[in-house]
């Protein structure tokens, strides 16, 4: 499993479960980072893109830059600006990655990350991985996917394209193309919570790469989480197990899940 877990001071208000599989791929391009201190918790899932080990380098670099920045931040930091400023630094560093011959690797990574400080949830999302919150038997996706399909739907709502054009484009391979990610290009879109979410006791936060939600519907993710919430590690394991069992097309992608439960104080 590709992840770093650091716990300088155990934060008893947060329970975590972490699972990642390589699936049917030849290499693992997902990378997870989890870190706690006595005040805050950071959870991050990065899904790399690029040939050979390029995607792995991109996701590793992005995750570790975010983790290091968090661990070296001041206690009173504004996490909204922290996420934004760090994202641009991550993008520039991943853009500069080179191979053994010194040539640019042209690899990138999606990023979803949350920081929980006391009872407040901060969020950053770039790309098409998902962040969910489960509260009162309702699962809500907190972020938007940065891909061509979502761009089309936004243009349709604004009256910039027709339904016929959207249907035609949906039938192409372009529909899943990312419109924002870390590396290769300038950073165009970042989803941030301008105002943090005030957590309630029992809230469950799920971060996952697309290998999970492309096999499991939101209803299935909710049902599995509710059925196994006795343990967040069990929840993460079962989500991965069901994703593998119900894989819809072709090979099982790299799949990663990081589950957090807010237990209150």
């Amino acid at each position: 499993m590709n992840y770093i877990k650091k716990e300088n001071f155990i934060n008893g208000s947060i329970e975590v479960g972490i699972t990642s599989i390589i699936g049917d791929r030849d290499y693992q391009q997902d990378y997870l980072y989890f870190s706690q201190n006595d005040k805050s918790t950071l959870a991050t899932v990065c899904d790399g893109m690029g040939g050979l080990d390029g995607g792995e380098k991109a996701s590793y670099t992005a995750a570790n830059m975010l983790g290091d920045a968090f661990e070296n931040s001041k206690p009173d930091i504004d996490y909204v600006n922290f996420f934004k400023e760090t994202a641009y630094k991550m993008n520039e560093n991943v853009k500069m990655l080179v191979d053994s011959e010194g040539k640019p690797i042209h690899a990138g990574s999606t990023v979803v990350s949350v920081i929980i400080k006391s009872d407040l949830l901060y969020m950053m999302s770039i790309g098409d991985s998902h962040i969910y919150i489960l509260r009162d038997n309702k699962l809500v996706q907190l972020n938007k996917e940065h891909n061509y399909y979502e761009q089309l739907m936004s243009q349709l709502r604004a009256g910039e394209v027709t339904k016929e054009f959207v249907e035609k484009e949906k039938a192409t391979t372009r529909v899943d193309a990312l419109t924002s990610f870390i590396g290769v290009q300038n950073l165009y879109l970042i989803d941030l919570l301008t105002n943090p979410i005030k957590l309630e006791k029992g809230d469950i936060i799920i971060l996952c790469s697309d290998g999970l939600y492309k096999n499991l519907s939101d209803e299935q993710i909710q049902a599995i989480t509710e059925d196994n919430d006795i343990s967040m590690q069990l929840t993460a394991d079962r989500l991965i197990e069901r994703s593998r069992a119900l894989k819809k097309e072709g090979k099982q992608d790299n799949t990663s899940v990081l589950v957090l439960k807010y237990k209150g104080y």
Side-chain angles (χ1 to χ4, degrees):
M1 187 187 304
N2 280 7
Y3 76 88
I4 288 181
K5 182 177 181 181
K6 296 184 178 180
E7 297 175 337
N8 300 321
F9 301 91
I10 301 301
N11 187 331
S13 66
I14 305 294
E15 180 187 350
V16 62
I18 302 174
T19 302
S20 183
I21 60 170
I22 193 171
D24 299 321
R25 294 290 189 92
D26 294 329
Y27 38 85
Q28 174 64 276
Q29 294 190 326
D30 287 358
Y31 203 90
L32 300 87
Y33 201 110
F34 175 79
S35 183
Q36 284 186 314
N37 56 43
D38 60 339
K39 298 291 185 181
S40 303
T41 296
L42 169 77
T44 301
V45 174
C46 293
D47 182 357
M49 305 166 292
L52 298 177
D53 62 348
E56 183 175 356
K57 286 182 179 178
S59 62
Y60 174 87
T61 300
N64 277 276
M65 281 195 66
L66 187 53
D68 288 345
F70 169 78
E71 288 161 13
N72 290 295
S73 63
K74 297 179 180 179
D76 59 346
I77 192 170
D78 177 351
Y79 281 123
V80 177
N81 287 331
F82 165 81
F83 269 141
K84 186 175 182 179
E85 292 173 3
T86 306
Y88 284 107
K89 293 177 183 177
M90 292 158 60
N91 190 60
E92 292 306 310
N93 274 263
V94 173
K95 283 168 63 177
M96 292 188 294
L97 290 176
V98 296
D99 61 19
S100 58
E101 298 179 352
K103 298 179 180 179
I105 63 173
H106 299 298
S109 179
T110 70
V111 181
V112 284
S113 184
V114 298
I115 292 175
I116 298 174
K117 181 179 181 182
S118 299
D119 61 349
L120 297 178
L121 175 75
Y122 299 83
M123 177 204 86
M124 176 178 72
S125 172
I126 303 166
D128 64 352
S129 294
H130 283 189
I131 304 174
Y132 301 95
I133 184 169
L134 177 61
R135 175 186 291 177
D136 297 332
N137 305 115
K138 185 177 182 180
L139 185 75
V140 177
Q141 183 180 335
L142 297 179
N143 64 326
K144 296 179 180 179
E145 294 174 29
H146 297 153
N147 58 27
Y148 182 46
Y149 174 75
E150 288 299 328
Q151 178 180 307
L152 283 172
M153 297 307 294
S154 177
Q155 291 174 326
L156 179 63
R157 289 190 291 270
E160 298 172 357
V161 296
T162 64
K163 290 183 179 179
E164 291 75 19
F165 179 78
V166 171
E167 290 302 316
K168 181 179 178 180
E169 290 296 287
K170 282 170 60 178
T172 70
T173 57
R174 295 189 296 272
V175 72
D176 291 326
L178 295 180
T179 53
S180 187
F181 52 89
I182 292 290
V184 181
Q185 59 186 12
N186 291 330
L187 187 55
Y188 295 109
L189 297 171
I190 308 174
D191 267 9
L192 296 166
L193 287 176
T194 304
N195 296 308
I197 294 173
K198 187 173 179 63
L199 294 175
E200 299 178 2
K201 186 175 181 179
D203 283 350
I204 296 176
I205 313 300
I206 303 169
L207 294 82
C208 67
S209 58
D210 63 348
L212 186 81
Y213 70 77
K214 286 185 176 178
N215 289 331
L216 299 178
S217 67
D218 287 1
E219 291 76 17
Q220 289 170 319
I221 291 173
Q222 177 174 341
I224 293 166
T225 302
E226 291 177 337
D227 288 346
N228 297 280
D229 71 351
I230 187 173
S231 160
M232 292 301 98
Q233 188 56 55
L234 179 62
T235 298
D237 291 343
R238 291 287 170 79
L239 284 167
I240 293 288
E241 289 172 9
R242 293 303 293 162
S243 174
R244 181 190 284 275
L246 297 174
K247 63 181 180 180
K248 296 177 181 178
E249 297 179 5
K251 295 182 178 181
Q252 172 73 45
D253 195 3
N254 298 157
T255 305
S256 300
V257 179
L258 203 160
V259 188
L260 306 168
K261 185 172 187 178
Y262 176 68
K263 300 169 69 176
Y265 287 93

